[in-house]
Amino acid sequence: MSLAALRRAARETVSGLPREFWWLWTSTLVNRLGAFVSTFMALYLTLDRGYSATYAGLVASLYGLGGVVSSIGSGVLTDRIGRRPTLLIAQSSTAASVALLGFMHDPVAIAAVACLVGAASNASRPAVQAMMADIVRPEDRIRAFSLNYWAINLGFAISSMAAGFIAEVSYRAGFLLEAGMTAVCAVVVFLRLPESRPSVAADGSKGAADAVGLGTVLRDGRFMSVVGLSFLVALVFQQGSVGLPVAMGEAGFTPADYGTAIAVNGFLIVALQIPVTRLIEHRDAKRLLVVSSILAGYGFGLTAFAGSVGVFALTVCVWTLGEMINAPTQTGLVVRLSPVQGRGRYQGMYTLSWAVAALVAPLMSGFVIDRFGAEWLWGLCAVVGTGAAVGYGALMRRVPAAEPGGEAVEGFTEVNVEVEGFTEVNVEVEGFAEEAVVPSVLRPATETTASS
């Protein structure tokens, strides 16, 4: 591909997205650039503080438990008080709790604050995803979610390398640096991001906070099926950070060998996420989710046959491709299935699936490896990936296909939702809400739109 073609591809990838999206994207990047606690918590507790590996595992579990608890709560807050206030609360709380953790010495206090850090850091995710869905046109959402996912991995790749050098000087400096950069994110949100929560037009209908409750989400069988399948896929992907290092260690490989193999994951995402997005952006979500589940399951399944660092790295390439396809596609599906007034709660439930997987995966991998051996873990990953693929194939038969450009389909019910002086046109098809571009997603509030 020529340099001109590369420039044109890059321009097309980033063009057409609103300014508010790029401020949200910048906030995500800065936040991940400052990531330190989740990367080096185990080393901090065992090497710097001298605690046992068992205690380090307990703290990691409590960190994950905090994320599980906050997923639903932050989703409710996102719908009730708005995206912007929820982000400000989450990021300010994260900055304060991370800084506090750096000064804790008592093991009970460390565990308790680590749980708070997990809760606070996870609380921003439903608000970010809901705000992104609010401000980006339906036809651009896969691209927007991919760019955001790319920013997460770019920031994490840079912060992981920087954190290693910082840890050699002072672990506390790393905690304070993360706290400071998270505070910068809060400032960006406060200064540059307007509230995007839609409010129903004054027609006697329910207010935003009461339109959708948690019971509504739980009774939505189609969406809860997505949450369950998301949990299965997340359980597989989590093995890259929990099962893979343990299995490689037991096979006689060094931590540096594991670092080399897993580095392929971050490198590929940073290098290929945007080109992959261009390939999948307008393709059938059903096929993408099925293929990504197969790549994830069998990518880890092939690990059973790995006997060298190079082969381990090749297996990482396979499941990383599945990850790059799955992340934006599944997030886009969650938005499609979420009613506008309940995006926060729906995103919170979706986030919960990943938080629970992060909590269960270490226990599952440890049990299977200890009782049966690593080969059984990789075989189980292949089985789970296959099950998720079959589940997505069956589920997507019941999900209406999105029309190109978000155009309305026959039999729709149109609803006008006012967002910061604009009217967002929405359609509901068989209980499934989605924005319609007729001819554009956002119209001035002064214009009238006929309901069908």
Side-chain angles (χ1 to χ4, degrees), residues 365-451:
S365 61
F367 176 81
V368 174
I369 291 175
D370 287 342
R371 288 292 187 92
F372 307 104
E375 292 79 8
W376 281 86
L377 176 64
W378 308 131
L380 181 60
C381 285
V383 171
V384 172
T386 302
V390 172
Y392 278 121
L395 171 70
M396 294 302 287
R397 294 177 182 175
R398 299 186 288 120
V399 176
E403 294 294 314
E407 293 292 340
V409 294
E410 184 178 357
F412 71 85
T413 300
E414 190 175 86
V415 182
N416 294 333
V417 182
E418 188 173 333
V419 186
E420 294 286 325
F422 288 86
T423 299
E424 184 177 350
V425 180
N426 300 277
V427 297
E428 184 175 334
V429 186
E430 297 180 359
F432 154 67
E434 181 58 282
E435 288 77 3
V437 185
V438 198
S440 61
V441 176
L442 295 179
R443 301 177 176 180
T446 54
E447 293 183 14
T448 58
T449 305
S451 290

Side-chain angles (χ1 to χ4, degrees), residues 33-36 40 158-178 181:
L33 284 171
F36 181 87
F40 280 87
I158 296 174
S159 68
S160 296
M161 292 185 292
F165 294 104
I166 295 171
E168 292 183 359
V169 178
S170 169
Y171 280 95
R172 180 174 293 172
F175 285 100
L176 295 178
L177 179 61
E178 177 168 349
M181 296 192 76

